[in-house]
Amino acid sequence: MSHQKKFVASYSGGKDSILAIYRAIKNGYKPVCLLTTYDEKNERSWFHNIPQTLLEEASKALDIPLVIIKTEGTQYAHDFERALSVLKSQGVDTCVFGDIDIQEHLDWCSERCKNVGLDSYFPLWQENRKKLVYEFIDSGFQAIITVIDTTRMNEQYLGQTLMKELVEQLEQENIDVCGENGEYHTFVYDGPIFKENIHFQCGDVVRIQNHVRIPVKMI
């Protein structure tokens, strides 16, 4: 492309956001930074529950600078747009998202970008969920399951490495293998775009209503 598009990635720490970043880089886009929303009250990233120290370690391992948006529910969209606006002023022209096929997610992300004059890019959009998980694994990425919605899948999978055998087992149990509906979340700690693997440890299991998670933290 005549102009190499510079992108910020909506980074959760999970497999879909990482695969989207990987795809974007392979398609000729240049990563400028990772953008992560952070729940300051609970001192962890929204949805994937990753502490700031580990997010910073991931940024170092990926060799992509990190921008953290410390926000809460009512200000979430406003703060996200404000961060995008600042990044646009610094030369970013695209925001990359790892959403696959939930229209509500695409609409929300697209609107945030449109409101500040950025392009939105969804490298995984409307592709087969199982094929995407297999691509992630076959590409050499390493991830563990860190959060599970116990109304959707058994908590026995918590802390397990995402492998093809596990994917097949989920499919046999009629569980969405990609976890796109919130069945599970992952933390990616190594792969082809990592300059080094992330060293971390798992804490004691935490149960909050219908969710169970295993905290990941720096060693």
Side-chain angles (χ1 to χ4, degrees):
M1 56 178 67
S2 57
H3 166 65
Q4 187 179 35
K5 292 201 171 188
K6 297 178 180 179
F7 75 88
V8 53
S10 179
Y11 171 69
S12 67
K15 61 178 176 53
D16 298 331
S17 67
I18 284 290
L19 185 59
I21 293 168
Y22 182 54
R23 286 262 195 102
I25 292 171
K26 289 205 298 182
N27 289 337
Y29 289 70
K30 179 179 174 59
V32 172
C33 69
L34 308 170
L35 189 62
T36 303
T37 54
Y38 196 82
D39 183 352
E40 196 165 15
K41 178 181 177 182
N42 295 308
E43 297 184 332
R44 290 183 175 272
S45 66
W46 280 91
F47 311 116
H48 283 63
N49 295 287
I50 302 170
Q52 183 169 340
T53 52
L54 199 53
L55 291 169
E56 291 168 349
E57 189 69 10
S59 167
K60 178 183 174 184
L62 289 163
D63 196 24
I64 305 174
L66 173 71
V67 173
I68 290 181
I69 306 172
K70 294 188 176 181
T71 186
E72 47 88 20
T74 60
Q75 291 295 310
Y76 193 99
H78 172 269
D79 290 342
F80 198 92
E81 286 185 17
R82 183 172 59 181
L84 290 180
S85 183
V86 171
L87 290 167
K88 181 187 177 185
S89 72
Q90 297 173 353
V92 169
D93 47 35
T94 304
C95 188
V96 169
F97 299 92
D99 298 284
I100 299 173
D101 55 23
I102 297 179
Q103 188 65 42
E104 182 182 357
H105 292 178
L106 180 137
D107 292 343
W108 188 94
C109 298
S110 299
E111 185 176 355
R112 302 287 77 75
C113 291
K114 181 180 178 181
N115 286 348
V116 301
L118 283 181
D119 292 333
S120 54
Y121 178 34
F122 299 82
L124 316 182
W125 187 246
Q126 290 190 332
E127 294 196 29
N128 180 274
R129 294 181 179 186
K130 185 177 181 180
K131 287 182 179 179
L132 287 172
V133 178
Y134 272 20
E135 178 184 338
F136 174 85
I137 296 169
D138 288 338
S139 296
F141 289 106
Q142 298 285 321
I144 66 165
I145 293 178
T146 56
V147 182
I148 283 176
D149 180 347
T150 55
T151 66
R152 298 175 183 269
M153 62 185 281
N154 194 298
E155 68 177 70
Q156 69 179 358
Y157 295 107
L158 192 67
Q160 292 195 27
T161 300
L162 192 63
M163 302 172 64
K164 284 187 175 180
E165 292 82 0
L166 187 148
V167 172
E168 294 293 340
Q169 192 170 346
L170 293 178
E171 188 172 51
Q172 289 174 12
E173 296 179 19
N174 295 316
I175 298 167
D176 177 62
V177 297
C178 206
E180 181 71 353
N181 306 302
E183 288 86 351
Y184 69 90
H185 293 304
T186 56
F187 175 64
V188 185
Y189 57 89
D190 200 7
I193 56 175
F194 286 77
K195 308 300 180 185
E196 57 189 18
N197 69 320
I198 303 171
H199 298 287
F200 69 98
Q201 62 184 1
C202 296
D204 296 330
V205 172
V206 176
R207 291 179 173 82
I208 301 177
Q209 297 178 337
N210 60 311
H211 284 87
V212 58
R213 65 179 175 87
I214 185 165
V216 287
K217 55 186 178 181
M218 293 284 293
I219 294 176

